[in-house]
Amino acid sequence: MIEKTDLSYERTILIGIVTKEQDQEKLEEYLDELEFLTYTAGGEVIKRFSQRMDRPDPKTFIGSGKMNDVKEFAAENDIGAVIFDDELSPAQQKNIEKILKCKILDRTGLILDIFAQRAKTSYARTQVELAQYEYLLPRLAGMWTHLERQRGGIGMRGPGETEIETDRRIVRDKISLLKKKLQTIDKQMEVQRGNRGQLVRVALVGYTNVGKSTLMNVISKSEVFAENKLFATLDTTVRKVVIRNLPFLLSDTVGFIRKLPTQLVESFKSTLDEVREADLLLHVVDISHPNFEEHIDSVNQILTEIETLGKPTIMVFNKIDAYEPETIDDDDLITEKTSAHFTLKEWKKTWMSKVGDDNALFISALNKENMEHFRKKVYEAVREIHITRFPYNNFLYPEYDKYGEQKE
Ligand SMILES: Nc1nc2c(ncn2[C@@H]2O[C@H](COP(=O)(O)OP(=O)(O)OP(=O)(O)O)[C@@H](O)[C@H]2O)c(=O)[nH]1
Ligand SMILES: [Mg+2]
């Protein structure tokens, strides 16, 4: 059982390393995201620690000197949890716990915790639970002690709380039970999807917090939960949408993130079936986010993992209202112009122009800017698929012109 804990704002430290592939600036961006994740999970970040290293220390991830600094700071500042930006090996986690004597989480553990906290339907909960047990299995030996676990808070939601005396065998049994349960649900979902007939299926995909649910609500007049936290949506919502005379199905589903835990990708397989079986993808991007290009890469990577890359896709650049390029003062002769300084017009001339006019849209779902253009493009793309599928044009509603006359 996944247990819900009241969110008491827990004081946390974030830790990341600077490597050849990841300079200080990049690390800070990743830690910004980790901080947002921590905030979503109910924590408050008190301090960030970083260390320059060729590769992480196999025993303790960061070096022993730095670890001492962390230990001192944690003791003096009433720190409840220390969160690492990368996945820790079970051995590293165990060693670090011994040294710091507080809760140690990695990125994967944190994301799993948020999913556990946000899973509302029994279907989502089953999927999250499976991912949590898969994550827990190799880590059982190094888990924190009985008493500490009962404290609750970040990283403590989920199997850890109730299965205190747990051992590998019990966890393995749980895993196979959950897998069976999911198989049964999967079959039901498959039947449900089959019952929807042959309507063209369009799926909203994208990084978390880009505005997928907001866009869904605008076009389908539905009320999907949207908020400025990560992973607001965990289940898939499907709505029938009609643009002009053309009905189709639109789905909104779980958002993606950099390094989305593989356990989650696997256990959310059936939630993601909606994406896998879609005829057209609307890849929503938050263009106001400084890292939006990297977000696109992460999404494409996950689409590849679920064997969905290469489907007809329209790129929807959302939040144009919030897009603000950095500026360079006239008398500033040092700052080099980078993509951070591009105006939207300049962006459109970059690789975006290769996406093609037909496949790139710039909108604000919040302010309903450019929605007419959006509707038109989606209509054209869906219509094309519809016509190939139904040469006799059944399903199409009659089209009326502006005088209310039925068109030929
Ligand atoms: N400024 C601005 N904010 C937007 C726009 N569209 C959505 N938002 C905000 O972005 C936040 C996230 O929106 P959601 O619709 O929940 O995003 P999502 O992609 O469904 O997120 P997940 O379900 O968490 O993956 C909310 O606070 C929205 O109000 C937009 O066009 N402009
Ligand atoms: Mg959403």
Side-chain angles (χ1 to χ4, degrees):
M1 265 301 285
I2 300 180
E3 307 234 326
K4 275 193 211 131
T5 328
D6 268 342
L7 292 184
S8 55
Y9 269 66
E10 191 155 17
R11 294 162 67 82
T12 61
I13 291 177
L14 304 186
I15 297 184
I17 54 171
V18 177
T19 59
K20 272 190 222 92
E21 296 82 42
Q22 175 171 305
D23 62 14
Q24 187 74 38
E25 198 185 333
K26 194 89 276 166
L27 176 69
E28 290 305 331
E29 285 169 8
Y30 290 160
L31 292 183
D32 285 345
E33 184 173 88
L34 195 67
E35 181 160 350
F36 198 4
L37 283 166
T38 308
Y39 159 74
T40 302
E44 181 192 358
V45 175
I46 306 297
K47 194 173 166 73
R48 298 175 176 191
F49 282 90
S50 65
Q51 187 173 28
R52 187 173 296 277
M53 309 180 83
D54 285 342
R55 67 185 73 82
D57 185 290
K59 290 211 183 78
T60 52
F61 197 77
I62 49 173
S64 55
K66 188 59 94 182
M67 192 61 88
N68 263 335
D69 296 350
V70 175
K71 189 177 172 178
E72 256 171 46
F73 185 89
E76 282 165 15
N77 292 278
D78 189 26
I79 296 299
V82 178
I83 305 175
F84 288 76
D85 188 42
D86 294 79
E87 185 157 323
L88 297 173
S89 71
Q92 282 171 331
Q93 190 156 356
K94 188 174 162 187
N95 294 334
I96 300 167
E97 239 155 52
K98 253 192 215 149
I99 301 171
L100 296 182
K101 297 197 176 58
C102 66
K103 219 187 306 175
I104 307 300
L105 277 172
D106 60 9
R107 202 183 147 81
T108 306
L110 181 60
I111 295 175
L112 284 172
D113 191 63
I114 294 171
F115 270 66
Q117 194 185 328
R118 305 214 137 213
K120 296 271 157 32
T121 61
S122 99
Y123 185 43
R125 289 163 76 94
T126 312
Q127 294 181 110
V128 176
E129 234 177 297
L130 175 61
Q132 285 184 310
Y133 279 117
E134 301 263 17
Y135 175 75
L136 184 67
L137 190 57
R139 289 174 172 75
L140 278 177
M143 294 300 284
W144 39 82
T145 61
H146 190 145
L147 275 177
E148 276 166 333
R149 279 219 236 159
Q150 286 181 325
R151 281 194 355 228
I154 306 179
M156 296 293 152
R157 287 169 277 258
E161 286 174 348
T162 41
E163 298 294 344
I164 292 158
E165 303 307 352
T166 200
D167 66 14
R168 279 168 200 269
R169 189 179 46 78
I170 297 177
V171 171
R172 281 211 190 91
D173 287 351
K174 281 261 182 203
I175 289 177
S176 61
L177 202 77
L178 287 167
K179 278 189 177 160
K180 275 201 201 105
K181 198 169 157 191
L182 277 179
Q183 268 173 6
T184 319
I185 307 178
D186 284 354
K187 284 214 186 85
Q188 291 166 355
M189 306 278 278
E190 225 178 284
V191 174
Q192 266 182 26
R193 285 199 298 270
N195 288 345
R196 288 204 214 117
Q198 298 236 321
L199 286 182
V200 173
R201 284 157 61 178
V202 182
L204 291 161
V205 294
Y207 212 74
T208 177
N209 209 43
V210 295
K212 298 179 293 299
S213 300
T214 309
L215 184 56
M216 173 89 168
N217 290 340
V218 171
I219 30 186
S220 70
K221 300 195 177 68
S222 56
E223 304 256 318
V224 180
F225 181 62
E227 75 167 334
N228 191 21
K229 280 197 175 172
L230 303 178
F231 304 112
T233 312
L234 282 197
D235 287 287
T236 303
T237 311
V238 183
R239 290 275 180 283
K240 187 165 159 187
V241 178
V242 184
I243 301 184
R244 289 159 67 183
N245 64 339
L246 186 61
F248 60 92
L249 295 174
L250 181 70
S251 70
D252 173 31
T253 191
V254 55
F256 299 161
I257 196 163
R258 183 180 77 97
K259 293 191 187 164
L260 187 67
T262 45
Q263 298 93 336
L264 275 176
V265 178
E266 273 164 32
S267 68
F268 271 70
K269 191 191 144 296
S270 21
T271 293
L272 294 170
D273 274 346
E274 206 58 55
V275 175
R276 202 175 297 118
E277 294 174 13
D279 303 295
L280 172 71
L281 301 182
L282 304 179
H283 182 162
V284 186
V285 177
D286 172 0
I287 198 166
S288 74
H289 196 289
N291 266 349
F292 79 87
E293 286 180 289
E294 214 176 302
H295 292 177
I296 295 175
D297 289 341
S298 300
V299 171
N300 285 339
Q301 204 181 324
I302 295 163
L303 289 178
T304 312
E305 259 174 67
I306 61 168
E307 293 160 14
T308 310
L309 197 72
K311 262 191 207 295
T313 303
I314 297 179
M315 298 296 292
V316 182
F317 297 98
N318 188 32
K319 305 201 189 180
I320 53 170
D321 60 291
Y323 181 75
E324 246 177 70
E326 285 175 25
T327 49
I328 307 174
D329 289 338
D330 285 345
D331 55 356
D332 179 351
L333 302 175
I334 301 162
T335 308
E336 269 180 60
K337 184 168 172 166
T338 66
S339 60
H341 303 98
F342 287 178
T343 59
L344 271 188
K345 212 169 157 190
E346 283 171 316
W347 265 119
K348 288 180 191 175
K349 287 187 197 139
T350 61
W351 56 264
M352 281 182 199
S353 68
K354 293 203 192 79
V355 176
D357 255 2
D358 281 346
N359 296 319
L361 285 162
F362 296 82
I363 63 161
S364 161
L366 194 68
N367 297 348
K368 304 198 174 69
E369 247 177 284
N370 226 358
M371 289 309 294
E372 250 335 288
H373 191 215
F374 174 86
R375 283 199 172 81
K376 183 166 175 280
K377 287 293 171 203
V378 173
Y379 175 83
E380 283 164 5
V382 173
R383 194 184 161 92
E384 202 167 298
I385 298 166
H386 188 101
I387 288 170
T388 24
R389 187 166 304 169
F390 306 113
Y392 304 111
N393 235 9
N394 50 346
F395 277 123
L396 267 194
Y397 295 146
E399 201 173 351
Y400 295 93
D401 62 21
K402 59 181 173 200
Y403 309 107
E405 298 286 329
Q406 195 169 331
K407 280 188 184 173
E408 285 308 307

